[in-house]
Amino acid sequence: MAGHDESIEGESVLGTALTTRHIEAFGRKVTTTASHLIGPLSDPTNSSHYQHAMSELHKELRRPGIQQRVFSYAQSSPTELVRSKLSTSEIQHRALTFIPDELLKSIPENDNVYSLFQGFQATLPEVDESEHRKSHQRHDSRGRKLLADVSEEAEGPPSMVKLKKEREKLNHRLEMMGVRKNMCSSEIREIDNKISNLNSMRKIVLDRLSRLEDDELKIEHELLDLDNRLEDLQEELDDAATLGHMTTPPAERDAILETTTSETQVEADNFMSASIYEKIPSPKAKRHKLPRRISMPIRHEHFEPGSSIKEIPAHNDMITAIDFDAPFGTMVTAALDDTVRVWDLNQGRCLGLLEGHRASVRCLQVEDNIVATGSIDASIRLWDLSKADYPQQDNYNGNSIEEEDDDELVFANPEVQSQAPPPSSSMEDCPIFSLDAHIGEVTALHFRGDTLVSGSADKTLRQWDLVNGRCVQTLDVLWAAAQASSTSNLNDGQWRTTGRLPDASADFVGALQCFDAALACGTADGMVRLWDLRSGQVSRSLVGHTGPVTSLQFDDVHLVTGSLDRSIRIWDLRTGSIHDAFAFDNPVTSMMFDTRRIIAAAGEDVAKVYDKTDGRHWDCGAGVSAVEGETRTSIVERVRIKDGFLVEGRRDGVVGVWAC
């Protein structure tokens, strides 16, 4: 019982905080034990025993091995002490026992056939054995040399030993190469996984960008709706103020009614009805602004080149002209079905028709809100799209407020929505004026600022003042060609015949572009003439095409032209020489370039793209993914590109929108 009590007391002492009494008791016990072992110096037995033990201890401590072990033990860290006492497997087992099960489930499978040491050995650079020996040459003892000689004699002659060493060396190198190959393959798989993860992240961010632009467009529509409502409210307030000044005070009106006859009262009522109700604006008279983008969309810049954005069945016949103001903005198309349509590229719906021409439109240009169209009826018309009355939309998907219940299925399908007829009166206030001076169909036009230049089948170019709406200059192309021929002392003189048979369908003036007083014009004889509008003279003629010029465009340094001779030529405006040229399998009917790419329609079901940055040619369009044997898509006739946003019009009347 006493021992049991003492054990209980000891456990209680160990389990609680030590007090001063416990420490004093422990000190007395240590003192008693030490005095018993060492003993007083007067006791010879205890003194000899202690001295003998201390001498033996000093002998052991003077040994170098013991001193080295004690020193290493003092310098060792706790981790090294644990590793010296425990095996590696035991350490791994104890470490894994403290890892949560969630982490153990996500441990990848080790399917590598090579160990970590082999991988580390393979990463070391290979060093020639002779060089290694020279750099680490050591003077072996005579006994080691004798042992080496004995081993070599046992293995065989020196030539065989050398060949065996060479074989071992090559086998080792081959094994290391296999390890390196496996490491490279593992790195490639890891990179592929990273690329896949990055592509997934890119898709998520791109979807987020699309949602932001959708929300941005909704806010712009809400702002536009608020502007329209504010304008309507301001008009109502102005009308109410006007009517308040025109109406007669009540007391005076009662006196008049008492003194007049019934016939006079009827006449007065009729007069007031006419004067008041004619000034009240009817709901039909209220026009809403055309939605204009305040912020420019940028998501198409992050699409893969050649990605399809939208496909719009715009017309029932071949598209003859197409242009748009900005990516996801407003597009205007013309076709041989004698219609000119205005489109919202963001929603892919038709906003209305520009009616006024008596024949098909052959050329057009869109610049902000202004549209210029040139027709076979020899007239040029200008339109202001800001005066359009378009159907209001209650959301981004294009559901009409008034027709939400009746036409829900129509607007839910984008293809049906694009074919739904727009209101006939949506564009009736858009015409500005008509320019009528040509006597042949207008085949090319370009305007910049207040100046418009047009080319016609009557073989003339006309310069127009858009402020006054009248022609200020007429340029005769044949006369200019004759003058240039006479001044250059050419024998044939008049009109340069091309190397091919004349094409009856080719336009006499295929393309033109103006900038201030400079005008570039491409004609059916394959010539590109540079005019000075101040003098009305040809300043330079660029000779190179052997077929009618169908398209051209220039910037500060270069002029790019496309022709029916199946080529595109890039001219240096500083020297007048050809900088570069590209050949195609079919005639080039349309061409345009931006800061990076040149796009061409060359008689195929794809648009031909030339990347000026890396010099690469590639195709963009529905024909790229067409399978052999299936029905090919229609031929691309017209192309336009701005900031990597490509729009192409086809012979079947379909418009394709692509990221380029």
Side-chain angles (χ1 to χ4, degrees):
M1 291 297 291
H4 181 67
D5 294 338
E6 291 178 359
S7 63
I8 293 175
E9 183 179 358
E11 290 178 359
S12 62
V13 170
L14 292 176
T16 59
L18 293 175
T19 61
T20 306
R21 183 173 58 84
H22 295 149
I23 295 175
E24 292 178 353
F26 179 74
R28 288 194 297 271
K29 292 179 181 180
V30 171
T31 302
T32 304
T33 305
S35 61
H36 177 72
L37 291 175
I38 299 174
L41 296 175
S42 59
D43 190 357
T45 305
N46 294 336
S47 177
S48 61
H49 176 73
Y50 171 72
Q51 293 177 357
H52 178 71
M54 292 301 295
S55 62
E56 291 293 333
L57 180 61
H58 281 295
K59 289 180 181 179
E60 291 293 331
L61 291 177
R62 281 196 296 268
R63 292 183 181 182
I66 297 297
Q67 292 180 358
Q68 186 177 5
R69 284 197 295 270
V70 170
F71 180 76
S72 62
Y73 178 80
Q75 297 294 328
S76 300
S77 62
T79 304
E80 294 176 350
L81 294 177
V82 172
R83 288 180 178 177
S84 63
K85 297 298 181 181
L86 301 176
S87 62
T88 305
S89 59
E90 186 176 359
I91 293 175
Q92 292 177 351
H93 172 73
R94 295 192 178 189
L96 292 177
T97 54
F98 291 97
I99 296 178
D101 295 336
E102 292 77 7
L103 295 179
L104 292 175
K105 292 179 181 178
S106 61
I107 296 178
E109 296 182 359
N110 186 13
D111 55 353
N112 200 337
V113 297
Y114 298 101
S115 65
L116 181 63
F117 175 75
Q118 288 176 318
F120 174 75
Q121 190 177 11
T123 57
L124 297 177
E126 295 183 358
V127 181
D128 192 3
E129 186 177 357
S130 61
E131 296 180 357
H132 181 72
R133 287 181 178 178
K134 289 180 182 179
S135 59
H136 299 280
Q137 187 176 7
R138 296 179 179 178
H139 299 283
D140 295 335
S141 63
R142 183 172 179 276
R144 292 182 180 180
K145 290 183 178 180
L146 293 175
L147 290 175
D149 295 339
V150 172
S151 61
E152 289 181 359
E153 291 179 358
E155 291 178 359
S159 59
M160 182 179 294
V161 173
K162 184 177 180 180
L163 292 176
K164 287 182 179 180
K165 289 183 177 180
E166 189 70 22
R167 185 184 63 180
E168 292 177 358
K169 181 179 178 182
L170 293 178
N171 287 332
H172 177 72
R173 290 184 61 186
L174 185 62
E175 182 182 2
M176 293 299 101
M177 287 181 180
V179 175
R180 294 191 186 100
K181 284 173 55 180
N182 185 269
M183 293 171 62
C184 293
S185 178
S186 301
E187 289 181 6
I188 291 174
R189 286 194 295 269
E190 185 177 357
I191 291 172
D192 291 339
N193 293 332
K194 291 181 179 179
I195 292 174
S196 177
N197 294 333
L198 289 175
N199 286 331
S200 300
M201 294 174 61
R202 185 181 187 276
K203 184 178 179 182
I204 294 172
V205 177
L206 189 60
D207 293 340
R208 190 189 310 161
L209 177 61
S210 300
R211 289 193 298 269
L212 287 175
E213 290 193 351
D214 294 345
D215 296 339
E216 192 177 51
L217 184 63
K218 292 178 183 178
I219 294 176
E220 290 184 8
H221 278 278
E222 292 177 0
L223 285 174
L224 181 66
D225 182 61
L226 290 176
D227 291 340
N228 291 329
R229 292 168 60 183
L230 287 174
E231 289 182 0
D232 296 342
L233 183 59
Q234 186 64 38
E235 290 179 1
E236 293 178 359
L237 293 176
D238 295 341
D239 293 338
T242 304
L243 293 176
H245 290 294
M246 294 181 61
T247 53
T248 309
E252 187 176 339
R253 185 177 58 221
D254 294 340
I256 294 175
L257 290 175
E258 291 176 357
T259 57
T260 55
T261 59
S262 60
E263 183 177 356
T264 306
Q265 290 177 356
V266 173
E267 292 178 358
D269 292 338
N270 291 337
F271 173 76
M272 292 300 296
S273 175
S275 62
I276 293 175
Y277 292 107
E278 284 182 358
K279 291 180 174 56
I280 296 179
S282 62
K284 295 182 180 180
K286 295 179 181 179
R287 297 294 179 182
H288 297 282
K289 296 179 181 179
L290 190 70
R292 306 298 300 175
R293 293 303 303 265
I294 301 174
S295 57
M296 296 303 297
I298 60 173
R299 65 177 181 269
H300 67 281
E301 299 176 0
H302 304 285
F303 291 161
E304 289 293 330
S307 301
S308 177
I309 298 177
K310 201 180 296 293
E311 193 169 90
I312 304 173
H315 295 272
N316 299 323
D317 208 335
M318 185 180 77
I319 291 179
T320 57
I322 187 172
D323 197 10
F324 64 98
D325 58 353
F328 297 100
T330 302
M331 178 181 66
V332 181
T333 59
L336 292 180
D337 57 5
D338 297 343
T339 61
V340 181
R341 297 178 180 269
V342 182
W343 300 87
D344 182 358
L345 281 175
N346 197 47
Q347 301 182 16
R349 67 188 184 101
C350 182
L351 300 177
L353 281 74
L354 300 179
E355 299 176 337
H357 286 289
R358 297 184 298 274
S360 299
V361 169
R362 293 293 312 279
C363 54
L364 63 87
Q365 181 184 349
V366 179
E367 195 72 28
D368 293 334
N369 290 325
I370 305 300
V371 179
T373 56
S375 172
I376 298 177
D377 62 7
S379 67
I380 301 170
R381 291 182 177 269
L382 271 78
W383 318 78
D384 187 358
L385 297 183
S386 63
K387 299 179 180 179
D389 178 23
Y390 66 97
Q392 292 290 318
Q393 304 292 316
D394 65 339
N395 54 38
Y396 175 75
N397 295 327
N399 296 331
S400 176
I401 296 177
E402 299 177 357
E403 301 174 327
E404 183 177 1
D405 297 331
D406 298 335
D407 296 336
E408 183 177 358
L409 296 177
V410 173
F411 283 97
N413 189 350
E415 296 183 358
V416 179
Q417 175 185 346
S418 62
Q419 296 177 355
S424 58
S425 61
S426 59
M427 301 288 172
E428 62 182 9
D429 291 341
C430 291
I432 302 176
F433 50 74
S434 177
L435 307 176
D436 301 311
H438 286 291
I439 58 175
E441 61 177 289
V442 180
T443 58
L445 62 82
H446 185 269
F447 71 91
R448 183 180 181 87
D450 296 334
T451 301
L452 184 145
V453 180
S454 60
S456 172
D458 60 8
K459 300 180 178 56
T460 62
L461 304 174
R462 293 184 180 268
Q463 180 183 356
W464 306 84
D465 183 5
L466 297 183
V467 177
N468 301 320
R470 59 188 181 89
C471 179
V472 297
Q473 185 175 196
T474 302
L475 306 175
D476 192 325
V477 179
L478 292 179
W479 181 82
Q483 290 296 112
S485 300
S486 61
T487 55
S488 58
N489 297 324
L490 294 179
N491 297 326
D492 49 358
Q494 300 297 322
W495 180 254
R496 178 178 177 271
T497 57
T498 61
R500 300 179 182 274
L501 295 176
D503 189 356
S505 62
D507 299 326
F508 183 86
V509 180
L512 56 84
Q513 180 183 348
C514 63
F515 181 80
D516 291 340
L519 170 65
C521 171
T523 52
D525 63 343
M527 295 279 287
V528 179
R529 295 177 174 85
L530 306 180
W531 301 72
D532 187 351
L533 294 178
R534 294 168 296 187
S535 62
Q537 300 294 326
V538 177
S539 59
R540 177 178 291 176
S541 298
L542 306 179
V543 181
H545 284 294
T546 59
V549 177
T550 58
S551 53
L552 66 82
Q553 183 183 353
F554 64 83
D555 55 14
D556 297 338
V557 179
H558 296 106
L559 182 144
V560 184
T561 57
S563 171
L564 294 183
D565 63 1
R566 301 180 297 181
S567 71
I568 287 180
R569 298 174 186 266
I570 304 176
W571 309 79
D572 192 334
L573 292 176
R574 298 165 295 185
T575 61
S577 60
I578 296 178
H579 175 72
D580 203 350
F582 314 113
F584 299 94
D585 297 332
N586 299 289
V588 177
T589 57
S590 180
M591 183 277 307
M592 188 178 181
F593 68 85
D594 60 3
T595 56
R596 178 170 178 173
R597 308 162 191 84
I598 299 177
I599 312 296
E604 298 183 19
D605 53 1
V606 295
K608 314 298 287 187
V609 183
Y610 170 68
D611 195 322
K612 295 184 290 185
T613 303
D614 55 11
R616 182 172 61 98
H617 292 266
W618 55 285
D619 298 338
C620 178
V624 175
S625 59
V627 182
E628 295 184 1
E630 294 184 356
T631 303
R632 305 287 291 184
T633 56
S634 183
I635 302 298
V636 176
E637 286 291 332
R638 296 289 182 267
V639 292
R640 303 295 291 177
I641 184 172
K642 291 180 182 179
D643 299 330
F645 190 85
L646 171 63
V647 174
E648 45 95 1
R650 308 170 192 167
R651 286 185 181 177
D652 58 359
V654 177
V655 174
V657 184
W658 305 83
C660 188

